[in-house]
Amino acid sequence: MPWLGLFGIGLMLSVLPSDARANAVADACRQAGRDAATPELCACIGAAAELSLSALDQERAAGFFSDPHSAQETRQSNRRRDEVFWERYRDFIQTAEDIC
């Protein structure tokens, strides 16, 4: 969906319920303290999470911002539950890359 651009991001954010705009992933992004993590980018990443992940998956993904090593452990895990989550997480990352 790279064609969405900024208009598409604004459109997506306008149709999300207000409580969905402040989600765990967007909050974690803002709190990560990275220079590139602007409020607009974090809101977009949060919107991508809303489109791609369940609430439980969003909570888990949000933890990766403060503990990147846990992401690596999840990615390398042999547990089926982690493998299935990682597939959904990769889809979220792709969505975020496409629209943000």
Side-chain angles (χ1 to χ4, degrees):
M1 295 192 313
W3 53 269
L4 281 176
L6 291 177
F7 172 76
I9 294 167
L11 180 62
M12 280 191 324
L13 291 176
S14 68
V15 299
L16 289 174
S18 60
D19 61 333
R21 293 184 194 161
N23 63 44
V25 172
D27 291 344
C29 175
R30 284 190 297 274
Q31 294 169 4
R34 293 181 179 93
D35 291 338
T38 64
E40 295 81 12
L41 178 60
C42 290
C44 183
I45 291 170
E50 288 292 329
L51 293 171
S52 307
L53 300 172
S54 71
L56 288 175
D57 284 350
Q58 289 179 47
E59 288 292 330
R60 188 172 183 187
F64 295 164
F65 284 87
S66 61
D67 185 11
H69 182 68
S70 66
Q72 182 69 6
E73 289 175 340
T74 301
R75 187 182 71 79
Q76 293 179 325
S77 172
N78 291 326
R79 291 186 300 254
R80 180 68 183 143
R81 180 180 71 112
D82 290 340
E83 291 173 0
V84 171
F85 167 78
W86 195 257
E87 290 173 16
R88 293 188 305 267
Y89 182 76
R90 274 196 337 241
D91 290 343
F92 151 65
I93 294 298
Q94 185 63 56
T95 299
E97 287 177 350
D98 288 348
I99 66 175
C100 300

